[in-house]
Amino acid sequence: MNKVVVPALRDMKARKEKIVALTSYDFVTTQLLNEAGIDVILVGDSLGMVKLGYSSTLPVTVEDMSYHTRLVARGNSRALIVTDMPYLSYQTSAKDAVKNCGLMLKAGAQAVKVEGGAEMISTIKALLTAKIPVMGHIGMTPQSVHLFGGYKVQGKNKAQSRKILADAKALEKAGVFAIVLECVPQTLARKITRALRIPTIGIGAGVVCDGQILVVDDLLGLSLGPYPRFVKRYADLRKIMSQAARRYASDVRQGKFPDALHAYS
Ligand code: KIV
């Protein structure tokens, strides 16, 4: 299979081919996702919650994101790598945004993702001038958690819904190559997906989007939970890993490990 490049996503939408995206934060997971044929790997700032133990994405730094981008890039062969820009790395000025986003390309990403709608247009244009491809992210944007008063579905009333649709159109006009739609009603996601030529990648936005993304730790059942309604767990790795560690502990305590098979004579 060919390496996925930025313009390929638009072609996939034109061919009505679904785009499969997942997050990854490390070398081994990235290798596995490549073996599974995942098209887009997002080094998400969800890193803060699922790997670094924070209660939100807000404490994640540029250094965290560039370190994990390097790990992912080393494990990657085919997928398009998009790195999420952490809180305050792109909101302060276009100059800061270009510098910090550029660091992610130097670390091995092929594109970056920034949260926000029309208010981000001048920053996005500056990034494109610096030849940095940008993925948008609207709807329930986790870096706005305090403004929203929690992780709540966005776009449920007419005013919100109109604003999110207008943001999507403004982002497309500014030149983003795809947009993540997070936690919006399906009817709104359908309207946006039909209105745009660039693909929508949904998370909690229904099957109507051009592609789907999930946090890999949620899909694998590694996160502690509670899980949002939109997550489907395809495995229960937390249980499997915990059972393996308990069996090992029990074997060591009972003198059953190492046995003759696992020792040198
Ligand atoms: O940080 C992240 O993992 C994300 C996805 C959930 C879209 O932004």
Side-chain angles (χ1 to χ4, degrees), residues 23 25 42-47 57 84 113 115 137 142 180 182 203 213-215:
T23 66
Y25 319 95
L42 174 71
V43 188
D45 63 349
S46 47
L47 164 77
T57 60
D84 231 353
K113 174 166 82 59
E115 296 184 6
H137 185 166
V180 169
E182 179 159 356
I203 172 161
I213 184 160
L214 281 177
V215 169

Side-chain angles (χ1 to χ4, degrees), residues 17-33:
E17 204 178 304
K18 290 277 188 185
I19 297 163
V20 185
L22 271 178
T23 66
S24 181
Y25 319 95
D26 65 73
F27 173 78
V28 175
T29 308
T30 303
Q31 284 184 320
L32 292 172
L33 299 192

Side-chain angles (χ1 to χ4, degrees), residues 108-170:
Q110 282 96 50
V112 298
K113 174 166 82 59
V114 298
E115 296 184 6
E119 75 281 7
M120 296 310 305
I121 299 306
S122 57
T123 302
I124 290 168
K125 286 186 174 161
L127 293 172
L128 291 170
T129 303
K131 315 298 176 215
I132 301 172
V134 185
M135 177 181 271
H137 185 166
I138 52 177
M140 204 295 292
T141 43
Q143 291 172 17
S144 308
V145 59
H146 297 310
L147 213 52
F148 294 152
Y151 298 102
K152 296 174 180 169
V153 177
Q154 299 296 307
K156 288 214 286 200
N157 65 46
K158 269 202 175 144
Q160 269 184 8
S161 162
R162 249 186 256 130
K163 159 121 181 44
I164 295 172
L165 176 60
D167 279 342
K169 289 180 179 170

Side-chain angles (χ1 to χ4, degrees), residues 46-67:
S46 47
L47 164 77
M49 297 172 85
V50 298
K51 295 297 182 204
L52 306 183
Y54 299 131
S55 60
S56 77
T57 60
L58 300 178
V60 175
T61 64
V62 168
E63 289 71 29
D64 292 332
M65 295 311 298
S66 74
Y67 173 74

